[in-house]
Amino acid sequence: MRRLTSMRHVLSAAMAASLLLSHEASGQGSGTQTRTPPRHRGGRSRGSTSQPTKPPPSPAIMGDDSLTMKFEVSGIPVILRQVTANNVVAANLYLLGGVRQLTPATQGIELVLLESSERGTRKYPRDVLRSKMAALGSAIGVSGGVDWTSVGLRATTTGFDSTWAIFADRIMAPRLDAADVDLVREQFATAMSQRRDSPDAQLDYLADSMAFAGHPYGLEPAGTEATLRSLTVEALRAYHREQMVTSRMMLVVVGNVSRSKVERLVRETLGRLPRGSYAWSLPDPPQDLPAGYVVEPRQLPTNYLQGYFHGPKATSADYNALRLACAVLSGRLFGEIRQRRNLTYSVNAPFVERAFSVGGLYVTTTQPDEVLAIMQQQIRALQEGVITQEGLELLRQQFIVTYFLDNETNADQANMLARAELYQGDFRRASRFVQELRAVTPEDIQRAARTYMTRVRWAYVGDPKQVTPARLLRF
């Protein structure tokens, strides 16, 4: 699971201290006063010396849906956002289903197939493909995920047609020569074998396995050493025949390109693929598992801990409430564990956007028991206290600014539109993000903390003598 480290997840200690009413300012640590927050909304916090930074206007975020349209071409849903501010076109093809299309034995097959296509297609042998891409200055990238695999195209407006031809042929007619497949497969397997060399990478893998035991999210899109080395060319070709169907596809295009051009390109290429019988749906919720942990003994300069708890589905009103609750918790953990007590270099409480959200706790430290006690105190404070309305408004302003920064590029906007369409059923929800964030109340944040910040499933990489297992089970 990708750990989120943008500034919305690591607030300053000063900001965090203003968010939750507590005795902390007087040095009494974890005690929390619970009282009704002020009724007024908006404005800046009393005592603030400057107005919070206002985000710049952007039609992608400020609710102007007139530039965005949805239509269908040969059975493929297409979302087109026409942006004239630059000459870059981003086109993301989403192969829906993600890990739900895999079995324990076929983990990694879709990514190996798509990466192998870079080494040649029916129309474009490897050297021709690479020289054309270099001449165009374009890029095509593959990204695996639990809910879908995306193949992204980045090109200039003048090079979009030529890049699309290569892009489409990689999807439709990969060459899949045995030597090329073997090379890609071994590259993936080597990367998996080297995961243990990175404590953070191994921690992510273990934490995901713990959090989603028995659920498709527990499968690895990039595969395991065993599954990757068992993949054959015949298996990849069979998967291509069965899975490269238009019913699994959604295309999002953002850039200065016309609808008629997009329709023509899709109709003449991807639209000729078989229809198939796939139907997108949100996955089943993860199993409600008790608190638990897994320990991988390592002799390292520091210890690594990552814990996850299950959150609401993307269509729930609690989704953004938990998003903000994790941001508040990140700030308080940063202020208490790093700045005040100097027990870590890195600590946060990530919020991971999926069909079913995930919240978490992450830290590297030489004093895991002490840090775990502080984390538990801060979660309890968030569950028992109510943040001030002024503090919430400051948090929202910082969050909104970061949101604008995170969605500046055409590719970022394409992903934002895709998440809104697939997770919430309507691409227009992307433009309502700020409005929905502003609707979250202090009581909503408290309720989200009480409801979801529990039954944490931990992964620990480090010295087992330095952590008390009972502390991991108290969350």
Side-chain angles (χ1 to χ4, degrees):
M1 183 180 297
R2 182 174 59 90
R3 183 170 299 113
L4 304 183
T5 56
S6 66
M7 76 177 189
R8 68 172 174 260
H9 297 284
V10 187
L11 305 178
S12 69
M15 167 72 81
S18 73
L19 295 177
L20 191 62
L21 297 173
S22 72
H23 292 295
E24 208 167 57
S26 60
Q28 296 185 46
S30 62
T32 301
Q33 292 178 334
T34 304
R35 70 183 188 198
T36 305
R39 295 293 182 186
H40 63 278
R41 297 176 180 270
R44 57 177 175 171
S45 173
R46 290 190 296 269
S48 174
T49 58
S50 62
Q51 183 73 21
T53 304
K54 292 184 178 179
S58 168
I61 299 171
M62 295 305 290
D64 181 1
D65 292 320
S66 63
L67 301 178
T68 308
M69 64 191 79
K70 181 183 176 183
F71 49 92
E72 192 172 285
V73 182
S74 302
I76 301 174
V78 179
I79 299 172
L80 171 62
R81 176 163 184 74
Q82 294 175 314
V83 174
T84 59
N86 56 61
N87 67 344
V88 176
V89 180
N92 290 353
L93 181 69
Y94 299 90
L95 297 172
L96 308 181
V99 292
R100 284 183 285 167
Q101 305 307 107
L102 306 177
T103 69
T106 62
Q107 294 175 89
I109 190 170
E110 187 156 277
L111 288 185
V112 170
L113 168 63
L114 292 168
E115 289 291 357
S116 296
S117 71
E118 190 273 337
R119 303 187 67 82
T121 71
R122 184 183 303 155
K123 293 181 180 178
Y124 302 95
R126 180 186 62 190
D127 292 342
V128 173
L129 186 154
R130 291 179 174 178
S131 64
K132 283 184 173 293
M133 290 294 293
L136 290 165
S138 303
I140 297 173
V142 179
S143 177
V146 295
D147 290 320
W148 54 71
T149 300
S150 63
V151 187
L153 173 161
R154 310 291 178 266
T156 62
T157 51
T158 55
F160 178 57
D161 292 47
S162 298
T163 306
W164 177 271
I166 298 172
F167 172 86
D169 214 46
R170 284 186 58 176
I171 301 297
M172 300 174 67
R175 189 179 292 268
L176 299 180
D177 288 340
D180 291 332
V181 170
D182 286 345
L183 177 61
V184 172
R185 185 184 61 192
E186 285 303 311
Q187 289 173 338
F188 271 70
T190 298
M192 291 298 105
S193 68
Q194 293 174 344
R195 180 170 53 196
R196 282 181 52 83
D197 296 339
S198 167
D200 265 326
Q202 184 67 2
L203 186 74
D204 276 342
Y205 171 73
L206 294 172
D208 257 4
S209 300
M210 279 295 293
F212 298 106
H215 190 272
Y217 279 3
L219 298 177
E220 175 55 65
T224 68
E225 288 183 69
T227 63
L228 289 165
R229 292 201 161 100
S230 70
L231 295 177
T232 64
V233 172
E234 291 74 20
L236 265 63
R237 287 176 175 160
Y239 188 89
H240 183 271
R241 287 193 302 271
E242 296 167 3
Q243 296 293 332
M244 293 300 126
V245 293
T246 60
S247 56
R248 276 195 70 203
M249 296 178 179
M250 184 180 79
L251 178 68
V252 182
V253 181
V254 178
N256 190 9
V257 59
S258 68
R259 171 174 174 171
S260 60
K261 174 178 283 192
V262 173
E263 288 178 324
R264 175 179 58 80
L265 292 175
V266 174
R267 184 171 52 250
E268 294 176 355
T269 54
L270 300 180
R272 295 177 178 175
L273 286 168
R275 174 62 185 164
S277 58
Y278 177 85
W280 163 258
S281 64
L282 294 178
D284 293 331
Q287 185 179 354
D288 192 11
L289 299 170
Y293 65 91
V294 61
V295 174
E296 179 166 307
R298 293 275 196 97
Q299 294 303 313
L300 299 167
T302 188
N303 304 292
Y304 296 76
L305 294 95
Q306 174 79 67
Y308 289 131
F309 49 85
H310 296 157
K313 61 182 179 180
T315 53
S316 169
D318 284 344
Y319 200 75
N320 280 327
L322 183 62
R323 188 197 301 267
L324 289 176
C326 287
V328 176
L329 184 59
S330 274
R332 292 183 59 78
L333 294 178
F334 183 84
E336 186 67 25
I337 297 173
R338 177 175 172 175
Q339 290 194 327
R340 185 168 300 175
R341 306 202 191 191
N342 198 28
L343 293 172
T344 184
Y345 174 76
S346 179
V347 61
N348 68 14
F351 175 85
V352 182
E353 294 190 71
R354 289 178 169 178
F356 282 87
S357 60
V358 180
L361 299 161
Y362 168 82
V363 70
T364 63
T365 182
T366 58
Q367 303 292 327
D369 277 357
E370 186 175 354
V371 168
L372 286 168
I374 297 170
M375 285 180 164
Q376 191 173 20
Q377 291 169 357
Q378 295 302 328
I379 289 175
R380 186 180 302 116
L382 191 57
Q383 293 170 336
E384 296 176 355
V386 179
I387 68 174
T388 65
Q389 188 67 49
E390 293 91 344
L392 176 56
E393 181 59 24
L394 285 172
L395 173 63
R396 278 194 292 236
Q397 289 284 14
Q398 184 174 3
F399 213 105
I400 291 167
V401 170
T402 307
Y403 179 74
F404 277 84
L405 295 175
D406 286 348
N407 289 285
E408 283 186 316
T409 70
N410 291 2
D412 291 331
Q413 292 182 31
N415 283 323
M416 177 180 63
L417 290 165
R419 287 194 302 269
E421 178 68 20
L422 294 170
Y423 286 161
Q424 299 175 299
D426 186 352
F427 71 88
R428 287 168 293 223
R429 291 287 294 273
S431 64
R432 301 170 196 161
F433 175 82
V434 172
Q435 176 185 347
E436 292 174 0
L437 202 68
R438 291 192 182 280
V440 176
T441 67
E443 291 79 12
D444 292 335
I445 292 174
Q446 182 190 45
R447 185 186 67 254
R450 288 176 173 176
T451 303
Y452 302 106
M453 291 183 178
T454 183
R455 296 188 295 278
V456 180
R457 306 274 290 177
W458 289 97
Y460 177 89
V461 177
D463 186 352
K465 296 178 182 178
Q466 293 185 1
V467 67
T468 303
R471 287 193 179 275
L472 297 169
L473 298 176
R474 291 175 184 170
F475 287 80

